[in-house]
Amino acid sequence: MLIQLRNGGTSVVFRATDETLEIAHWGAELGDYNEQSIASTKRSIAHGDLDVNPRNLILREHSRGWRGHPALRGHRSGKSVSNYFELIKHKATKDSLVAHFEDKLAGLLLTVNYKLDQFGILTIESTVTNNSDGDYFLEHLLNWLPLPQQANEVLDFYGHWSKERQPQRRQIGYGLTTREGFEGRSGHDYTIAQIALNSSTYFQSGEAWAMSVAWSGNNIHHIEKLIDDNISIGAGEYLLPGEIILAKGESYTTPKVIAAYSNEGLDGITNRHYGRLRARENHPKRPRPLTLNLWEAVYFDHNFEKLSKIVEKAAEVGVERVVLDDGWFGARRNDKQGLGDWVVSKDVWPNGLKPLADLVTSKGMEFGLWFEGEMVQIDSDLYRAHPDWLLQEPGRMPVFGRNQQVLDLTKAGAFAHVLEQVDAVLKSCKISYIKWDHNRSISDPISDGRPAVHNQTKALYRLFDELKKRNPGLEIESCSSGGGRIDLGMVEHADRFWTSDQNDPLERQTIQRWTGMVIPPELLGTHVGPTHGHQTHRTADISFRVLNALFGHAGIEWNILEATDHELKVLKEFANFYKTHRALIHSGNVVRSEIGNAYLYGTIAQDKSEAIFTYMQLGSFDGFLSLSAQLNGFDPNQTYRVTVQEKLSTHDLIQRTHPGWWPSLEIRGDQLAKVGLEMPGLRPEQGLLLHLKRL
Ligand code: DGJ
């Protein structure tokens, strides 16, 4: 029996036999598909092989002849290692399937849920239940999908502090192409998606199959190519030994795996993800306030007088939210002590935070505050009172990271301590926003002798949800030494991500571009940094810095008291432009391309009536003149007026004259895509801002 899910331009085809379930296809819409059509995929049996040749069994059991990684692995103290699941019932609708399996000998029940949404995004979640006496030691349960043979390359992402989500694209060879993370958080090096594609696939063309695990703890992404050329993609949680031991009647549910297919290149994957996230009930609905974060302005040097001057200036510039960062609590005058004591420091804030919060709110801005609630330092009242609340191997102090240890939030007392202290601070003055940091990886995620990343991750999600419940309207930014915890699990609990500590616009262009692969700009903090970047010590023009910060949840991270008159003028211009156009920036479809050493990035309104593009020259261009930029995604039959936004664009061209069309022209959508616009020659680290309006 064939089951076909169809939605959002994607088809998923399953074949149920009396005993088991196969997945025959995930990808392009196939129209009506039937038993006769599927016959074309039946394979011959090779010499030296078993007498069966299973294709893409959902549970991939070795006992049925599958030769690759099984979906589930576990045992009962070394027994019940071989699995043989039988399909006991299933229920399908046009866009969903729930399949129930039983392995009688192993004493396991297993349910797999598939849901294909209107954006063509397939969500998978599985649950295994121990249905027998005795403990079942689960090693892994991953969710897999088949890939066709034209998927011959893989794109994934690597990174470190201040250089997150760098793309790497390579051939899919035989065996596993794997990315694993066991930092106890998703991490800077986390591949926010693993994307199989064809060598001809690029931003707007070609096929791509992406999978991401919606989880902020340990993770695995695999592509597996077997010697019989079966290719598949799978993802899930990386479980530590003994992390999940199921007693009779207990279950483990995988994190959701989010899978997207596109025949419109990488932009198609991105826009499907954006569609799904934007349609959620909990997606931020209010315009994303222009945010000033004070970290790079003052670091630990908290001083009411200085901060009030910055706040006054911020209000003049048009800032809508001010966030006080690290250093306001306990003994935290530097990064060596104080974490864990979430009580306002009398030393630096003798009158509490209220005077600053009142000043900020009196100017019509919101006030936000930094926390790092999962952490504790040895020099803190919390550690002195509860040295047993660390995640650690009993009897051994874990290595330190930024002089800190990790608090065991799975312990009820520790959880309550953080919840109550944070909640009390929030209620003490008008705090509507939290920036929540996590500045080290978890090297010994052990609670009472047992691995605890799974439970720690869930505890954090619970903590965020509870804080929001107690403080209606509260928004939370997820930060982890910059962009160390940006994933599709956290997106359900946080409202903004701090994309990276890298505020140098040149570096940040790449970080933002690829973080935006699956996370929409309205959730990604992008700040105008100081003139001389604190991370790279490079100097960048204000126009390049503001253009870099435009396509995101925009903000500023700079002591703006040091800004020149010119810089302040451009900042104000930027603030106005962002506020006027953020509804479009935060709802449009993304179009990206690379033109020589320049990045083109645009957002086009869903009805194609309007668009904004930046053209960012990263390095020098190779030829004598620069290149033309093809602008895809417009209505081919409609005419658009293209206007250079000169107040925010660079004026510093290399060529003697501007291109003939400058600063504005009217052109049809198909010509924008096929012929494009001749670009002026920009110096490195200069950018242009274009506005397009349908006539
Ligand atoms: C790391 C974050 O990424 C920074 O933005 C800042 O909040 C510091 N931590 C504070 O310690």
Side-chain angles (χ1 to χ4, degrees):
M1 176 194 182
L2 277 198
I3 300 157
Q4 185 173 4
L5 315 185
R6 293 170 72 177
N7 210 352
T10 298
S11 273
V12 189
V13 179
F14 300 88
R15 186 162 161 263
T17 66
D18 288 347
E19 276 224 331
T20 189
L21 188 70
E22 293 167 13
I23 178 160
H25 169 85
W26 162 53
E29 169 62 279
L30 293 179
D32 281 335
Y33 205 67
N34 53 37
E35 286 285 354
Q36 223 173 334
S37 334
I38 210 167
S40 71
T41 68
K42 290 215 174 106
R43 313 187 92 191
S44 39
I45 294 200
H47 280 300
D49 204 354
L50 297 170
D51 296 342
V52 288
N53 190 354
R55 283 212 82 172
N56 299 314
L57 296 168
I58 295 295
L59 298 175
R60 304 157 64 100
E61 304 100 313
H62 291 165
S63 61
R64 289 185 181 276
W66 180 260
R67 61 172 93 239
H69 270 238
L72 172 118
R73 182 179 281 150
H75 60 95
R76 294 179 184 276
S77 299
K79 295 191 175 155
S80 299
V81 172
S82 171
N83 288 116
Y84 193 88
F85 283 97
E86 288 173 285
L87 181 65
I88 47 178
K89 62 177 177 188
H90 65 271
K91 189 165 183 263
T93 67
K94 63 179 186 13
D95 55 13
S96 72
L97 170 67
V98 185
H100 300 273
F101 301 84
E102 180 169 17
D103 181 337
K104 290 207 180 73
L105 291 181
L108 298 175
L109 296 172
L110 206 152
T111 303
V112 192
N113 265 278
Y114 297 87
K115 180 96 185 85
L116 182 62
D117 72 15
Q118 56 177 306
F119 306 100
I121 299 259
L122 180 67
T123 302
I124 318 174
E125 185 182 71
S126 302
T127 300
V128 60
T129 305
N130 180 1
N131 199 31
S132 217
D133 289 334
D135 289 343
Y136 183 75
F137 295 74
L138 180 66
E139 292 194 353
H140 75 226
L141 177 55
L142 305 183
N143 292 300
W144 290 84
L145 287 169
L147 292 173
Q149 278 159 29
Q150 61 267 31
N152 58 1
E153 289 191 1
V154 53
L155 170 67
D156 59 29
F157 304 95
Y158 66 92
H160 57 77
W161 175 75
S162 86
K163 200 175 177 86
E164 297 89 341
R165 285 163 295 282
Q166 303 296 306
Q168 68 174 340
R169 186 167 175 165
R170 50 205 157 129
Q171 284 285 320
I172 297 177
Y174 287 107
L176 282 177
T177 307
T178 292
R179 298 300 311 279
E180 290 175 330
F182 15 84
E183 291 189 16
R185 59 179 174 181
S186 32
H188 299 90
D189 189 37
Y190 172 69
T191 189
I192 197 161
Q194 191 183 33
I195 308 172
L197 22 70
N198 184 260
S199 24
S200 64
T201 301
Y202 205 42
F203 283 113
Q204 278 103 47
S205 62
E207 289 188 290
W209 299 259
M211 193 180 260
S212 307
V213 55
W215 185 240
S216 313
N218 291 345
N219 53 80
I220 304 182
H221 291 82
H222 286 314
I223 288 180
E224 184 173 55
K225 179 169 170 173
L226 299 178
I227 198 60
D228 62 6
D229 289 307
N230 243 317
I231 316 176
S232 47
I233 184 166
E237 182 178 9
Y238 183 103
L239 293 176
L240 294 166
E243 183 156 15
I244 302 289
I245 303 176
L246 302 174
K248 185 174 183 186
E250 286 183 347
S251 300
Y252 164 82
T253 297
T254 62
K256 290 191 173 75
V257 154
I258 314 288
Y261 163 77
S262 157
N263 56 4
E264 295 162 328
L266 292 171
D267 288 352
I269 297 283
T270 295
N271 290 320
R272 281 167 168 72
H273 274 282
Y274 288 10
R276 179 183 86 89
L277 290 170
R278 286 171 174 166
R280 297 169 311 151
E281 206 31 57
N282 54 343
H283 197 68
K285 305 263 178 322
R286 289 193 296 133
R288 303 291 73 213
L290 186 72
T291 298
L292 175 83
N293 181 292
L294 292 163
W295 177 240
E296 290 202 6
V298 296
Y299 292 104
F300 287 105
D301 182 15
H302 288 202
N303 164 320
F304 178 70
E305 213 180 311
K306 181 167 173 190
L307 286 169
S308 15
K309 283 193 191 131
I310 301 179
V311 167
E312 308 267 356
K313 188 62 89 188
E316 261 174 52
V317 164
V319 165
E320 297 164 304
R321 173 184 281 160
V322 174
V323 181
L324 182 65
D325 213 282
D326 198 354
W328 57 268
F329 54 92
R332 184 79 169 173
R333 302 292 77 76
N334 52 50
D335 68 6
K336 298 200 172 35
Q337 66 261 323
L339 286 178
D341 300 337
W342 303 107
V343 177
V344 180
S345 161
K346 289 266 176 252
D347 295 344
V348 269
W349 295 100
N351 302 314
L353 292 174
K354 203 166 173 303
L356 184 68
D358 285 349
L359 175 68
V360 170
T361 48
S362 72
K363 304 269 168 206
M365 302 183 285
E366 298 171 32
F367 183 56
L369 196 60
W370 181 95
F371 291 90
E372 193 178 5
E374 293 150 275
M375 299 292 159
V376 56
Q377 281 174 314
I378 302 302
D379 189 356
S380 67
D381 293 343
L382 176 63
Y383 183 77
R384 283 183 281 275
H386 298 284
D388 53 328
W389 281 359
L390 297 193
L391 282 176
Q392 69 184 119
E393 182 67 27
R396 190 179 70 213
M397 181 59 80
V399 289
F400 285 79
R402 208 188 186 206
N403 313 305
Q404 63 200 50
Q405 294 293 347
V406 188
L407 193 65
D408 182 354
L409 284 186
T410 72
K411 289 208 156 82
F415 185 94
H417 164 84
V418 180
L419 174 65
E420 297 307 335
Q421 283 204 336
V422 173
D423 192 38
V425 177
L426 295 188
K427 294 204 160 67
S428 69
C429 49
K430 294 177 198 144
I431 298 172
S432 52
Y433 185 77
I434 288 181
K435 176 180 175 188
W436 187 280
D437 214 334
H438 182 284
N439 278 300
R440 60 159 294 169
S441 58
I442 311 181
S443 51
D444 288 275
I446 313 290
S447 174
D448 292 334
R450 294 272 311 276
V453 178
H454 181 83
N455 290 339
Q456 176 85 354
T457 308
K458 287 198 139 175
L460 178 73
Y461 289 163
R462 245 188 4 259
L463 185 69
F464 279 7
D465 296 349
E466 182 59 27
L467 283 170
K468 285 184 170 188
K469 202 164 120 205
R470 291 187 181 191
N471 298 278
L474 178 73
E475 292 193 2
I476 300 181
E477 172 177 21
S478 166
C479 170
S480 181
S481 293
R485 194 156 59 184
I486 305 183
D487 56 74
L488 291 174
M490 185 56 82
V491 82
E492 298 305 331
H493 308 273
D495 309 273
R496 188 189 207 240
F497 294 103
W498 181 222
T499 313
S500 177
D501 275 352
Q502 182 56 271
N503 284 319
D504 176 322
L506 182 62
E507 297 287 326
R508 204 176 170 103
Q509 273 289 296
T510 303
I511 299 169
Q512 286 178 186
R513 167 162 281 222
W514 294 108
T515 308
M517 188 65 223
V518 299
I519 308 281
E522 59 272 26
L523 303 183
L524 293 176
T526 54
H527 294 174
V528 180
T531 318
H532 306 289
H534 289 196
Q535 285 71 26
T536 59
H537 290 188
R538 241 187 233 126
T539 301
D541 267 11
I542 182 68
S543 85
F544 196 60
R545 276 145 59 213
V546 298
L547 292 187
N548 173 68
L550 185 62
F551 286 108
H553 177 176
I556 301 169
E557 184 147 353
W558 171 24
N559 180 359
I560 45 177
L561 300 177
E562 290 169 1
T564 63
D565 289 348
H566 170 66
E567 285 176 324
L568 280 175
K569 190 165 158 237
V570 178
L571 265 189
K572 285 182 194 162
E573 211 45 74
F574 159 72
N576 284 339
F577 190 90
Y578 171 71
K579 289 180 198 169
T580 312
H581 295 282
R582 65 186 151 192
L584 167 58
I585 292 172
H586 297 161
S587 66
N589 273 330
V590 161
V591 185
R592 293 162 293 201
S593 59
E594 274 157 35
I595 300 161
N597 282 329
Y599 277 178
L600 188 73
Y601 180 101
T603 186
I604 303 183
Q606 299 291 337
D607 67 0
K608 303 188 181 213
S609 60
E610 195 180 359
I612 297 169
F613 276 73
T614 49
Y615 176 77
M616 303 290 270
Q617 189 74 46
L618 306 184
S620 58
F621 50 89
D622 290 334
F624 188 45
L625 293 174
S626 64
L627 301 164
S628 61
Q630 274 91 38
L631 271 50
N632 287 296
F634 291 91
D635 187 332
N637 302 312
Q638 299 288 324
T639 300
Y640 293 84
R641 174 172 298 116
V642 184
T643 320
V644 180
Q645 303 299 293
E646 293 189 273
K647 287 187 185 152
L648 289 173
S649 300
T650 183
H651 294 192
D652 193 10
L653 309 187
I654 290 182
Q655 291 156 192
R656 288 160 56 208
T657 65
H658 288 96
W661 60 272
W662 193 273
S664 155
L665 98 160
E666 289 174 12
I667 178 170
R668 241 186 18 236
D670 57 342
Q671 294 163 357
L672 270 171
K674 291 178 192 151
V675 182
L677 296 174
E678 198 59 36
M679 285 287 126
L682 303 188
R683 296 179 200 280
E685 297 169 54
Q686 300 289 344
L688 295 181
L689 178 64
L690 306 176
H691 180 246
L692 291 95
K693 186 97 184 123
R694 189 174 62 203
L695 295 179

